[in-house]
Amino acid sequence: MSRRLTEKNRKRLADETGLRAAPWGGRLSIALVYPNTYHQGMSNLGFQSVYEWFNRRPDTRCERFFLPDAEDLEEYRNGSTTLLSLESQRQLTDFDLVAFSISFENDYLNLAELFSFANLPLWRADRDARFPLLLCGGVCAFLNPEPLAEIMDMFAVGEAEVLLPDLVKTLKGQAEADREDLLRDLADRPGIYVPQFYHPHYAESGVLEGITASGEVPLPVKRQWLAEIDQAQSRTCVSTPDTEFASMKLLEISRGCPRGCRFCAAGFIYLPFREHSVPQLERQLAEGEGGPLKIGLVGAAVSDSCAFAGLGQKILAAGGEVSVSSVRVDSIDAEQVRLLVESGHKTLSLAPEAGSQKMRDVINKGVNDDQILKAVEMVASAGIPNLKLYFMVGLPGETEEDVEAICELTMQIRTLWETIGRQRGRLGRLTLSVNPFIPKPFTPLQWAPMTPRSVLEKKYRLLQRRIRPLPNVDLNLESLKRSELQGFLARGDRRVGRILPALGQGTSLRQACREAGLDLKFYLSRERAADEHLPWEVIDPGVARSYLWHEYELALEGKVGQPCFPGCHRCGICP
């Protein structure tokens, strides 16, 4: 948030958080940093939950920092303004701990400027006892921490509810300890990865040969997760009009996903699948402030949740509305659609992901054309006018015929949608959102190469030629430049972190790699070998590598796997 906006709204925002009069004395002070704008950060339920958790404690005080808004960046770049906390206008270096919440790899590009605005050295080797310790949390911290390993002092590998109590206890118990001794003690804590004690070794080819650890620190560092998520805060806890969810309260309904889609990082790094109980969700709703509201249900598998229908009915009965980001093609039912219609939904999102059955089997999507069309018919008949469809291109083994299948399926959906819409006297919009496949760590497709940009461009042109002429159909194609950057950072090692300042200044990925002596193809379009050490395997997500490799082999054979079910022990996460 910019300084001007902070000063204009500081009292209102402080009143909303209840922090304006909170004392600093004797408390462990935490700067919670989101490396993007206030609008983005305060739309993140995980960021809000951590902020609220710290400020509930009597022994900690947490304040927020964000990347300045675009119109105010020049003030920071020319040095006339310093990055200050939202609550009390303190500098980042005034805090005991600086905790970053990072959910998206492309936000790495904001770090160099953000550090500069805060007068904080970017590289951990340049920071000494005069500076606070830096902790990185969020999805990226336990997906692949290595691109930031030369920047951050430590990473929270897993879920905050499990990690933070022990972290706070250690920091408060050793407030006067030597920095090196404190970091070594922290490295012994479950789920805390301190990269200075871990040393990657590379072959002449550039491939990682292995990682060694100094002293007795654990290798790998095991992800920590909350077995009983009813113990967790699961709803919006800071209300503000300056985010995309200003008129909505978010409520986490489940964590993880049992489906096993082979491309989906969230489906694996948040295993096992856990659901909040209906009584706990109802208590969370009751604790919310104000009258009836629109409630956004959050989870990777919302329509799979046994609580969805019952909770939705209670929200409607209280005069509220229900919102979801997307639903599963094969689990959405008439009752769930009715709830969404009565809540005023004008658009619903479905994710076929691929047009051909062959490609859906490769990614273990578990749906067929008949199920997709049945879901479309149900949604259209209920009166939701607009439909959004998510697809990917560049999947392993994909051919031109598979991309053509996206067009054919779209035309079938459009015909059905238009027919029902005319019967109801209202034609809405059909929107296709198409993204390149990006291999992500700790998924079965982590070994797969990313399709080269030149090939992806051809696939995009095919879609544009076939889809753009269709009436009432919009085609949104994700930037190939941004996708390539995300793929590079998602599977990068420590060496890629050194080009982050150049990337943040606008240098192209290809040029930055050339100047740093990095081979872009090595990171992006190379299939990893079965026995290759992968940079992110310095941490252990709990899902067995052998299970992921077996699922990769099934993917290459075009065979489907099984979803999670009670009593299943295949991936190794459940005891």
Side-chain angles (χ1 to χ4, degrees), residues 233-251:
Q233 170 66 268
S234 61
R235 60 172 174 82
T236 296
C237 47
V238 180
S239 298
T240 172
D242 301 314
T243 73
E244 60 186 293
F245 300 118
S247 62
M248 186 186 304
K249 295 284 189 179
L250 302 181
L251 181 68

Side-chain angles (χ1 to χ4, degrees), residues 1 5 12-14 16-17 19 32-52 55 62-67 69 86-87 101 103-104 235-250:
M1 177 173 280
L5 190 58
R12 174 179 55 77
L13 291 168
E16 287 174 351
T17 63
L19 284 174
L32 186 59
V33 184
Y34 195 87
N36 210 311
T37 63
Y38 178 90
H39 176 85
Q40 296 291 327
M42 292 310 296
S43 298
N44 185 297
L45 186 57
F47 181 86
Q48 284 207 20
S49 297
V50 170
Y51 176 70
E52 193 270 351
N55 283 313
C62 181
E63 301 191 8
R64 295 165 290 169
F65 289 79
F66 301 95
L67 188 73
D69 294 324
L86 186 64
E87 285 73 18
S101 175
S103 301
F104 306 102
R235 60 172 174 82
T236 296
C237 47
V238 180
S239 298
T240 172
D242 301 314
T243 73
E244 60 186 293
F245 300 118
S247 62
M248 186 186 304
K249 295 284 189 179
L250 302 181

Side-chain angles (χ1 to χ4, degrees), residues 105 139 143 257 259-269 300 326-328 350-355 358-367 390-396 433 435-449 486 490-491 547-548 551-552 554-556 559 561:
E105 291 91 351
V139 175
L143 190 60
C257 180
R259 297 290 187 146
C261 295
R262 293 174 179 137
F263 66 90
C264 180
F268 286 91
I269 65 170
S326 65
V327 294
R328 280 280 308 194
L350 302 174
E353 307 292 6
K358 182 186 79 173
M359 285 294 99
R360 289 195 292 268
D361 290 346
V362 166
I363 62 176
N364 201 36
K365 187 63 184 176
V367 298
Y390 290 100
F391 288 100
M392 287 186 291
V393 293
L395 289 163
S433 178
N435 295 267
F437 160 68
I438 299 173
K440 287 297 184 86
F442 298 125
T443 68
L445 299 185
Q446 66 180 344
W447 289 277
Q486 184 186 154
R491 294 197 300 174
Y547 170 76
L548 295 175
E551 285 292 313
Y552 182 49
L554 291 180
L556 296 180
K559 296 180 179 179

